[in-house]
Amino acid sequence: MFWPRRYTVVGLCFCALFICYIDRVNISVAAIAMGDEFGWTDTQKGFVLSSFFIGYMLAMVIAGWLSDRYGAKRVLGFAVIWWSFFTFVTPFAAYASFGILIAARIAMGLGEAATVPGSYGMFARWVPENERARSVSFFISGIPLGTLFGLIVTGWIVTEFDWPMAFYSFGVVGLLWVPLWYFLVYDDPQQHPHISDSELEQTAQIASMEEQKHIFPWRSFVRLPAFWALLINHFCSNMVLYISLAWLPSYFRDAQGLSITGAGLYSAAPWLSMFLMTNVGGWLADRMMSGGVSTTNVRKIMQISGLLGGAGFLLLLQGAQTPIVALLMMCAVLGMASFTVSGFGANPLDIAPKHAAMLVGISNTVGTLPGIVGVALTGYLIDATGTYNSVFVMVASINVIGALVWLVFSSGERLVE
């Protein structure tokens, strides 16, 4: 049976996001040993963990514009090389000084900023409308799967070889992906020498790469309530994601009394739940649309259930007295959060598919603020209160606000041509 070339595009974008997150999350486990060695407070650890997101946020819109203007293939390929280099040199930066470590983490964030907008730019050209929820869900499932792998492997590497080896080994992985990307992927289906006629016909409604070199219609977007709902919900949905990425290993070590290896293992399981439920959510969303449910209603159902369900389990997490109970609650939190991928996550391809890369760049810029503010604030709250409960209440409250905004203002219709 002929292998559709769009599956290769989606698969390699998934792999890029997987690599992105194993490189991003390894410091969440390594920071425990690094903090012990360098004598960091939780506030200092929060600065280290959040500094990545400064570069990530600053480059997001630029990455979306570059992807639209020069092609996502070129931009994403260079980005993987860039962030792999800064992953590799992280130990050298840490031993040089605290400031140089912060600078290296910011530089790494600059590179990883291209992953999501670049991939959405490829999807806008390659993925038919009736496959978008599944494609986006599969792509985004690289986040929990990469996190799962990164947490488990980093815990083992830190225990057996010390923390610098986690950065050296993960820094090499991205370089193995780059040749596959450059040899197997094309920006435009029309350019692919081996695409079948049937697949070319399926993607015929998608504008060619040259046709998509346009000026972003800022004025049209800022007048749309659905645009602002997207930005707000990207922020709200990412709060639980980024705080979990940065602080979950420390929570299991400090609040539940586990070892570094145990903290890594327990932190990994909720991401397996998220990986599974992300793909279940994508299947459910496409199934509802095939059954006649409007795109707008599907996006509302998935987003609101994910946010409110996650908020409920976060509040229950305050009463967790054992690691097992805490683990089950966190599996439920991230499992519910995964449904938002088929809500706000697929929405840029609904409301403005021709501008998807740039729109995701803007949206993800706002969605990166929790990585800076939320992750750093978490360290402060833990130092100030001695507990994680205030963090759980904060995130649950933000989820509820996002759900209300999405209920009133979101849309699944094409709003900008």
Side-chain angles (χ1 to χ4, degrees):
M1 184 177 179
F2 187 81
W3 175 260
R5 303 302 172 178
R6 64 185 181 278
Y7 292 177
T8 300
V9 173
V10 174
L12 284 174
C13 287
F14 164 85
C15 291
L17 193 61
F18 175 88
I19 296 166
C20 174
Y21 271 79
I22 66 172
D23 287 349
R24 185 184 306 189
V25 79
N26 59 3
I27 200 169
S28 300
V29 177
I32 299 174
M34 295 169 75
D36 292 342
E37 180 172 341
F38 296 117
W40 295 339
T41 65
D42 281 325
T43 300
Q44 286 177 305
K45 188 191 296 184
F47 286 140
V48 172
L49 296 174
S50 65
S51 58
F52 162 91
F53 295 99
I54 297 173
Y56 192 68
M57 182 183 70
L58 289 175
M60 192 67 60
V61 174
I62 296 172
W65 179 82
L66 289 173
S67 295
D68 275 344
R69 182 67 181 84
Y70 298 105
K73 174 183 174 179
R74 183 182 304 172
V75 172
L76 184 52
F78 175 78
V80 174
I81 297 172
W82 174 278
W83 88 59
S84 297
F85 170 78
F86 281 101
T87 298
F88 189 88
V89 302
T90 296
F92 300 101
Y95 282 117
S97 74
F98 188 80
I100 293 176
L101 173 61
I102 296 295
R105 295 295 298 174
I106 292 173
M108 180 183 168
L110 291 171
E112 291 204 0
T115 313
V116 175
S119 296
Y120 270 72
M122 296 299 294
F123 294 171
R125 298 177 181 116
W126 278 92
V127 179
E129 186 174 359
N130 64 343
E131 296 180 9
R132 284 176 179 166
R134 278 170 290 172
S135 297
V136 170
S137 294
F138 176 71
F139 166 66
I140 295 296
S141 68
I143 294 176
L145 195 63
T147 303
L148 172 70
F149 180 88
L151 289 171
I152 293 174
V153 174
T154 302
W156 175 76
I157 291 175
V158 170
T159 301
E160 295 296 324
F161 303 103
D162 207 0
W163 63 266
M165 185 56 67
F167 297 98
Y168 299 148
S169 55
F170 285 9
V172 173
V173 174
L175 301 179
L176 302 177
W177 172 92
V178 172
L180 296 175
W181 180 252
Y182 278 108
F183 284 112
L184 298 180
V185 168
Y186 291 78
D187 271 306
D188 193 327
Q190 300 283 346
Q191 298 172 344
H192 204 297
H194 305 299
I195 191 171
S196 68
D197 292 338
S198 61
E199 185 174 16
L200 197 57
E201 185 177 346
Q202 281 182 290
T203 58
Q205 78 275 20
I206 304 172
S208 71
M209 178 178 154
E210 290 300 321
E211 293 172 330
Q212 293 190 41
K213 291 181 179 178
H214 44 63
I215 298 173
F216 189 79
W218 287 98
R219 188 172 299 178
S220 298
F221 278 104
V222 297
R223 294 173 177 173
L224 292 175
F227 170 72
W228 296 105
L230 174 63
L231 300 190
I232 292 169
N233 270 262
H234 204 148
F235 176 92
C236 296
S237 300
N238 276 10
M239 185 65 76
V240 67
L241 172 68
Y242 287 145
I243 289 178
S244 298
L245 278 171
W247 284 101
L248 205 52
S250 295
Y251 166 74
F252 279 114
R253 203 281 290 265
D254 299 336
Q256 299 297 334
L258 299 178
S259 65
I260 292 179
T261 302
L265 290 172
Y266 270 67
S267 299
W271 299 103
L272 177 60
S273 170
M274 189 176 189
F275 168 73
L276 295 173
M277 295 308 295
T278 297
N279 287 285
V280 169
W283 178 83
L284 285 173
D286 281 346
R287 187 67 180 268
M288 282 190 285
M289 290 177 64
S290 297
V293 182
S294 71
T295 304
T296 296
N297 286 336
V298 170
R299 299 293 178 242
K300 287 183 186 291
I301 291 168
M302 301 305 293
Q303 181 71 13
I304 293 170
S305 62
L307 287 175
L308 295 184
F313 285 111
L314 277 167
L315 296 177
L316 291 174
L317 184 58
Q318 296 178 90
Q321 299 296 318
T322 66
I324 291 296
V325 173
L327 176 63
L328 292 175
M329 290 297 102
M330 278 308 306
C331 285
V333 168
L334 291 184
M336 293 304 302
S338 68
F339 279 17
T340 66
V341 174
S342 297
F344 89 91
N347 197 231
L349 294 169
D350 299 325
I351 64 176
K354 292 183 180 179
H355 305 276
M358 184 67 173
L359 181 56
V360 170
I362 297 167
S363 176
N364 215 9
T365 299
V366 177
T368 301
L369 290 173
I372 301 172
V373 179
V375 171
L377 181 59
T378 296
Y380 170 78
L381 289 173
I382 295 168
D383 273 340
T385 66
T387 177
Y388 284 78
N389 287 347
S390 58
V391 179
F392 300 150
V393 172
M394 174 187 71
V395 178
S397 301
I398 290 171
N399 275 19
V400 172
I401 293 170
L404 291 174
V405 170
W406 194 257
L407 175 65
V408 177
F409 297 110
S410 68
S411 174
E413 303 301 316
R414 180 176 297 196
L415 302 177
V416 178
E417 293 297 332

